[in-house]
Amino acid sequence: MKHLLLTLALLQGMAAYAGEVQSNGYTVRFDERTETAPGDLHGATVGRISLVRAADQGLAWQENTPLQPGCGAIAAVTVLNDSHVALCGHLGGRHYTHKIIFMQGNSPTMVSVDQFDSPSAVRVERDGSLAIDVLRRDRFPGELTGPHYFPTVYRLHHDDATFGFVPSFDGDAAERYWQHYRATRQTAPAAAVLPELLASLLAAQAGKQSICAELATLAADLQRDGQPHDAQGARSLMRTWLHKLPAIGYPRFDAPACRGTF
């Protein structure tokens, strides 16, 4: 029994293998480990990210992280292309985070993007750029009750001065916002999810499909559902949110484009 307890204790102190890939002269690992440092996470399962040079097996870089490896169906480590590797981890089964490592050169660099409750995989777009869909909540604390998820497509921007994810509201991203809009429309009455519906439409304005007819349809649905009770009240409520949403990063509403429709 003493031997068994000693063996278990040793195993708990060792890092459990979670994910490993080879890319551009490096081995990238994302392992589980047990936190031994004092603090709130002491004894918890957390993670360690390591980059090892293939040429001499030397440790090029290492980071201890509170994230546990893996995001459900999304692997802990994924090779995206010749230059980038994606890592995905979570905090106790929620609040997912993606980390992207740029693998070229002698000094790999890393950037992170939080995905809150809903992980989605990093995509390689047709032009070779990297993009990811993020649903952010708690954007209007004290004003909206319950979880309201606001979509944003992030693209990885990389030049001599910048390496990071930036919001994208261009024509290519518009279809992703339309997809979120259509999916949200099926989950609840328009009045219950109006802010996130309007956020999706604002984000899709650069696309080929006009949002004006859909705004008019939303107003009619609000009137039919009895909240607000008349057409003027429905459109007034929608305009209030259309003016609020740019404060959290969405494009401004192009009202002249919808004149005569909404």
Side-chain angles (χ1 to χ4, degrees):
M1 178 62 72
K2 289 183 178 180
H3 177 73
L4 176 60
L5 292 175
L6 177 60
T7 301
L8 290 174
L10 290 172
L11 287 173
Q12 288 175 353
M14 296 172 61
Y17 169 76
E20 175 181 304
V21 298
Q22 284 76 42
S23 176
N24 214 5
Y26 292 92
T27 298
V28 183
R29 293 179 60 95
F30 193 178
D31 300 307
E32 286 186 347
R33 64 183 181 88
T34 300
E35 182 59 80
T36 57
D40 294 340
L41 293 177
H42 181 78
T45 300
V46 288
R48 175 180 291 126
I49 300 167
S50 305
L51 274 71
V52 176
R53 292 185 297 271
D56 59 5
Q57 295 301 301
L59 183 64
W61 184 82
Q62 188 174 84
E63 174 187 290
N64 288 335
T65 172
L67 297 171
Q68 294 177 242
C71 295
I74 301 173
V77 190
T78 304
V79 176
L80 299 173
N81 53 32
D82 292 341
S83 303
H84 300 90
V85 170
L87 302 97
C88 196
H90 64 91
L91 296 175
R94 59 177 300 172
H95 198 108
Y96 300 89
T97 296
H98 257 97
K99 293 177 178 287
I100 307 298
I101 306 177
F102 180 61
M103 303 296 297
Q104 290 187 347
N106 295 325
S107 180
T109 53
M110 179 183 292
V111 65
S112 299
V113 59
D114 289 331
Q115 292 191 284
F116 293 85
D117 304 336
S118 304
S120 64
V122 179
R123 302 186 305 278
V124 181
E125 301 283 56
R126 289 175 297 179
D127 62 359
S129 64
L130 303 183
I132 190 169
D133 299 334
V134 176
L135 297 178
R136 298 203 179 280
R137 52 179 166 79
D138 303 329
R139 303 313 308 269
F140 293 94
E143 189 169 0
L144 295 176
T145 58
H148 288 261
Y149 293 97
F150 293 87
T152 303
V153 174
Y154 283 83
R155 295 191 190 280
L156 186 63
H157 183 74
H158 193 183
D159 57 25
D160 293 339
T162 306
F163 180 54
F165 281 97
V166 295
S168 177
F169 302 105
D170 59 20
D172 290 336
E175 181 54 33
R176 307 295 298 189
Y177 293 116
W178 274 111
Q179 289 175 13
H180 181 76
Y181 174 84
R182 297 182 190 111
T184 305
R185 283 284 267 159
Q186 296 176 4
T187 64
V193 289
L194 182 62
E196 47 262 66
L197 289 175
L198 294 176
S200 297
L201 292 178
L202 285 179
Q205 288 180 102
K208 296 179 180 179
Q209 181 178 349
S210 171
I211 70 169
C212 303
E214 199 60 39
L215 288 172
T217 300
L218 268 180
D221 287 351
L222 289 174
Q223 183 181 359
R224 183 194 62 212
D225 294 341
Q227 184 181 349
H229 298 291
D230 56 32
Q232 182 177 355
R235 291 176 181 247
S236 177
L237 176 62
M238 291 174 63
R239 289 193 180 97
T240 296
W241 278 109
L242 288 171
H243 287 295
K244 283 183 180 181
L245 288 163
I248 61 170
Y250 287 99
R252 293 186 178 278
F253 175 46
D254 184 6
C258 292
R259 187 174 291 122
T261 305
F262 176 77

